Amino acid sequence: MLFTARYPAAAAVIRFSTLSIATAALLSACSPALDWRDVRPKDINILLTYPCKPEQIAQDVVLADQNIKMSMTGCVADKMTFALAHAQLPNPTLAARALGQLHQAAVENVRGKVTFSSPDIPKNATPGLPDALDLRIDGLAPDGKPVRERVLLFSQGNSVYQVTAFAPTHDFKDEAAQTFAGSVNLSPTP
C-alpha cells in the first residue's frame, strides 16, 4: 500500500490537495522489484511507464481557489513510490497558479530544499509557465529521516500534472526516477 506516513513525499501531492492519508492507503504496492509497464490512467491524456501496477483514486480538492476533482494514480515498488496527480481546472488561465501551489507544497511538505530545477517539460505540454519544472528535492520525513523526490510539474490546456518518484534517501534510485519521469507521453491536444 502507498502510505504517506512511510513515504512523506506522497503527502506533497496528497496533503496539498487534501487527499487524506486513508484515501492514499488505497493505492496498492505491487511487487518489490521493478516490473515496468505502460499505463494510461483512466480519463487522462497521458501515458506513463510505471514499475508496478498502479491504482487510481480521486477526491474533490481546492486548487487555484477552485473546487475540482484531483486523481492520483500510483504504486510502490522497490521501496520507492511512483505517482501521478492530475486535475482538470475550469480554464487554462488557472494552470500557472495551480502549478505554483503544487511546487510550493512539494517542497514544504517534506521541509525540503530544491537541489535541481530545470524548465525541461514533456513534449505537448504548455510552454512558458514559471512553475512547469523538473525538480529534485531533498527533505525530511515526519520522523526526521531524509527523503528524496523527483517532481515533474506541467500543464496542457486546463489540465495540470504532477509526476513524482520518491523514497527515503538511502532507497532512492535515480535511474528508476529518471525512467518514470522520462516516460511521460502527453498526447497532443485535439
Side-chain angles (χ1 to χ4, degrees), residues 1-26:
M1 299 292 230
L2 172 64
F3 294 99
T4 58
R6 263 186 47 201
Y7 300 101
V13 176
I14 296 167
R15 261 189 244 145
F16 175 75
S17 62
T18 69
L19 291 174
S20 69
I21 291 173
T23 304
L26 295 175

Side-chain angles (χ1 to χ4, degrees), residues 86-171:
H86 169 261
Q88 189 90 11
L89 301 167
N91 68 67
T93 63
L94 298 170
R97 192 158 93 205
L99 289 174
Q101 290 171 337
L102 291 170
H103 177 177
Q104 181 179 357
V107 175
E108 289 178 357
N109 286 329
V110 295
R111 297 171 283 158
K113 176 183 174 188
V114 175
T115 59
F116 175 85
S117 177
S118 170
D120 185 23
I121 59 170
K123 181 180 177 184
N124 299 317
T126 303
L129 297 177
D131 286 292
L133 297 167
D134 184 355
L135 304 167
R136 274 58 154 210
I137 302 167
D138 285 340
L140 299 172
D143 63 5
K145 292 182 180 172
V147 293
R148 179 165 291 155
E149 62 183 322
R150 168 102 181 252
V151 178
L152 188 58
L153 298 164
F154 56 95
S155 72
Q156 182 186 55
N158 58 342
S159 289
V160 291
Y161 301 86
Q162 179 172 336
V163 174
T164 306
F166 59 89
T169 301
H170 64 279
D171 293 318

Side-chain angles (χ1 to χ4, degrees), residues 28-39 49-55 74-78 80-82:
S28 294
C30 301
S31 67
L34 303 179
D35 180 16
W36 297 97
R37 80 258 341 255
D38 289 339
V39 175
T49 304
Y50 281 86
C52 42
K53 183 179 178 189
E55 291 192 22
C75 59
V76 177
D78 203 17
M80 288 185 68
T81 301
F82 301 86

